[in-house]
Amino acid sequence: MTVPTYDVILVGGGIPGLTLACGLRASGLRIAVVEAQSEAQVGDRPVAYALSPLSAKIFQAVGVWQMIAPAITHFPKVVLSDADYPHRVVFTPADLGEPAVYYCAEHRVLQRALQNQVAVDPDITSYYETRVQEVVYDDPLAEVVVETGQGRHHLAAPLVVAADGMRSQLRQWAGIKTDGWDYWQSCITALVSPVQSHQDIAYERFWPSGPFAILPLPHNRCQVVWVAPHAEAKAITALPPDQFMAAMEERYGAHAGSLTLLSPPRVFPARLMHSRRYCQPRLALLGDAAHHGHPVGGQGLNLGIRDAATLAQVLVTAQQQHQDLGDLKVLRRYGRRRRLENGGVLLFTDVLNRTFSNRWWPIVVFRRRVLRVMIGWSPLRRWMLRLMTGLWGTPLPPTAEGVVAAPGGRPHTQRLRNG
Ligand SMILES: Cc1cc2nc3c(=O)[nH]c(=O)nc-3n(C[C@H](O)[C@H](O)[C@H](O)COP(=O)(O)OP(=O)(O)OC[C@H]3O[C@@H](n4cnc5c(N)ncnc54)[C@H](O)[C@@H]3O)c2cc1C
C-alpha cells in the first residue's frame, strides 16, 4: 500500500490552520489538512471575534478578505472605560492610520471563506471527520496515523503542523511542556440585540470583577464577552432569562436601550498557557496549540492568524532555497519570531486584567491617571493600539494579493478508504 505523501500535513482545520493553508497557496507545496470534525461542524460555532487591522491585512494577502469584508463590522470607534469613571478613552482609525480601528467577524463567516478558498486549490487536500491518532517522527518524513471511522490510514510529510487547539494532543505526544495558570475568572459569551442602533461602536469596560466587552455585528446584533469570578459567572448564567437580561442590561449601560437575547450564554474558564517551544524536528505548533491567553482585548485568534502568516513566509522561503521544511533550523526562524511576540502579548493582557480587576486604591488612582494621559496624549494612545493590533512588523504571507477562489472550482476534499 502506498502512503499518500505531502509537503506539509496540517492537523486542525480551524481558522489559524486554514489561514496557513491559504498562505501556502500558489507556492506549489502539497498540503493535507486533517480535521476531526465535519466541514459543517467546524464552521458551526456561535461566537464572534474582534479582528485586528493586521489580521485584515493577512486575510487580504491570502485572498479571502473580499469574501469576509461585506459580512463583518468595521469599527469607527472603540471606547475604553473604567467602571463608573466618567473619562473614557476613544480610539479612532486616525490613531492607526487604518480604515477601521478593529473589526468583528462571526466564526462561521471566517471559517467558510477560508474553507471555500482551500476547497478549490488543487494542491490542498482536506480530510474531514479524520482524527490523528499517532505521529511517528522519522527522517526524512513524519508519518501520521489517522482514524476515519472506516479504519486507520497513514499519511506522510517532512513537516507536521499542529493547529489542534489548546489541549493539543500533538504537543503532548511530542513532550512539549507549557507554562501558565488558571485565572480566578470565567468568561460568559452571548449574542444580543439592542433596541437602539449600535452604530458599529465597540466598548471595553473594566469592572473590578472583570472586563465587559460589547462587539457590534451586522444586523444590529452584538457579541457580549463578560468576564466575572467563577462563582459569579456560574450564578449569572443560572439566572432565569428575565433576570439574566436585567443583569446584562445593568452591565451593558443605558446607551443601548433594552436588549434581546439571541443565543444562550456560554461559559469558558479563563486561562493562560504558553508552550516552552514552538517547534522540534518535523513539528511546528500553531494558534492555540502554542498559546492561549485571557480573553481581555480579544487577542487569541489574532495571534494565531499572525503565526500562520509568519510560518507561511518561513516555509515558502525555505522551499525557494531547497531546504528541508522539517529541519529545526528552518522551523526555529518561525518559533523565535512568534514566541517572543506572543509571550509579550500574553503578559500585557495579564497585566491589563490584573490592573483593572482590582479595587486597591493606589492601583485605581494609577490606572485612572494613565487613562487621563491616554485621552489627552495621542502618542500613548497610538502606542497602546499598535501593541494590541500587532501592527509592528509581522510579515505578510507571500501569496498573490487578492487572489480569490474561482466560483464553481473543483472541491478538493478527500475520503481515505481502507486498503
Ligand atoms: C470566550 C472566548 C472569546 C474569544 N474572543 C476572541 C476574540 O474576540 N478575538 C480573538 O482573536 N480571539 C478570541 N478568542 C480566542 C479564539 O477563540 C482562539 O484563539 C481560536 O479559536 C483558536 O483557534 P485554533 O484553530 O488554534 O484552535 P481551535 O479553534 O480549538 O481548533 C482546533 C481544531 O483542531 C481540530 N482537532 C483537534 N484535535 C484533532 C486531532 N487529533 N485530529 C484532527 N483534528 C483535530 C479540532 O476539531 C478543531 O477544529 C476567544 C476565546 C474564547 C474562549
Side-chain angles (χ1 to χ4, degrees), residues 90-394:
V90 180
F91 296 104
T92 65
D95 289 325
L96 277 178
E98 293 291 328
V101 191
Y102 246 75
Y103 304 87
C104 187
E106 287 164 274
H107 178 85
R108 65 178 171 80
V109 170
L110 300 179
Q111 187 74 39
R112 298 256 159 83
L114 291 162
Q115 283 174 340
N116 288 346
Q117 189 79 322
V118 160
V120 292
D121 192 299
D123 288 330
I124 306 175
T125 307
S126 301
Y127 297 99
Y128 284 99
E129 297 177 79
T130 303
R131 179 171 283 279
V132 172
Q133 298 289 6
E134 191 187 349
V135 185
V136 181
Y137 298 97
D138 212 337
D139 255 343
L141 298 173
E143 198 156 309
V144 175
V145 183
V146 299
E147 172 78 52
T148 62
Q150 296 168 350
R152 289 191 157 212
H153 307 269
H154 294 240
L155 306 171
L159 174 64
V160 177
V161 176
D164 54 342
M166 186 173 53
R167 293 192 180 77
S168 169
Q169 283 184 307
L170 272 80
R171 183 190 68 227
Q172 292 175 38
W173 293 334
I176 299 178
K177 296 213 164 26
T178 62
D179 295 308
W181 49 80
D182 290 340
Y183 286 97
W184 65 99
Q185 296 157 313
S186 285
C187 176
I188 306 166
T189 61
L191 206 60
V192 301
S193 176
V195 161
Q196 311 279 352
S197 163
H198 58 44
Q199 299 176 324
D200 292 347
I201 300 173
Y203 295 86
E204 178 108 50
R205 194 165 180 181
F206 293 96
W207 295 92
S209 53
F212 184 92
I214 302 171
L215 305 174
L217 283 165
H219 312 298
N220 209 37
R221 297 165 303 145
C222 294
Q223 160 94 44
V224 169
V225 182
W226 183 355
V227 177
H230 298 308
E232 195 181 323
K234 209 169 150 194
I236 292 166
T237 46
L239 288 170
D242 55 332
Q243 290 178 33
F244 173 77
M245 289 314 291
M248 166 91 78
E249 282 171 16
E250 197 186 319
R251 270 289 136 108
Y252 203 101
H255 59 90
S258 67
L259 303 172
T260 306
L261 187 65
L262 301 178
S263 76
R266 302 186 332 143
V267 187
F268 306 86
R271 23 179 94 96
L272 186 144
M273 181 283 288
H274 203 196
S275 294
R276 289 193 188 165
R277 283 180 283 135
Y278 279 25
C279 50
Q280 64 175 43
R282 314 226 163 278
L283 173 69
L285 307 183
L286 183 88
D288 272 26
H291 49 79
H292 181 90
H294 193 279
V296 65
Q299 292 293 311
L301 182 69
N302 289 290
L303 297 182
I305 292 167
R306 281 179 236 163
D307 293 347
T310 307
L311 186 54
Q313 205 202 42
V314 164
L315 294 181
V316 170
T317 305
Q319 181 214 19
Q320 285 163 353
Q321 295 170 355
H322 307 289
Q323 291 173 315
D324 177 356
L325 300 186
D327 188 337
L328 192 56
K329 281 206 289 289
V330 169
L331 300 177
R332 275 196 182 132
R333 289 178 208 145
Y334 157 73
R336 268 198 299 266
R337 282 190 215 170
R338 291 309 305 155
R339 199 170 179 282
L340 191 66
E341 186 193 329
N342 292 339
V345 174
L346 292 181
L347 183 68
F348 178 72
T349 52
D350 183 70
V351 171
L352 195 65
N353 180 49
R354 287 178 198 277
T355 308
F356 279 90
S357 304
N358 200 310
R359 290 188 167 87
W360 193 43
W361 71 265
I363 298 273
V364 175
V365 170
F366 167 75
R367 70 186 188 222
R368 291 184 172 179
R369 288 242 161 99
V370 174
L371 284 186
R372 290 296 290 269
V373 175
M374 277 172 73
I375 292 165
W377 192 45
S378 59
L380 181 61
R381 215 167 49 234
R382 284 196 205 118
W383 181 84
M384 164 95 174
L385 208 49
R386 285 197 175 264
L387 185 73
M388 297 297 279
T389 53
L391 280 170
W392 269 324
T394 297

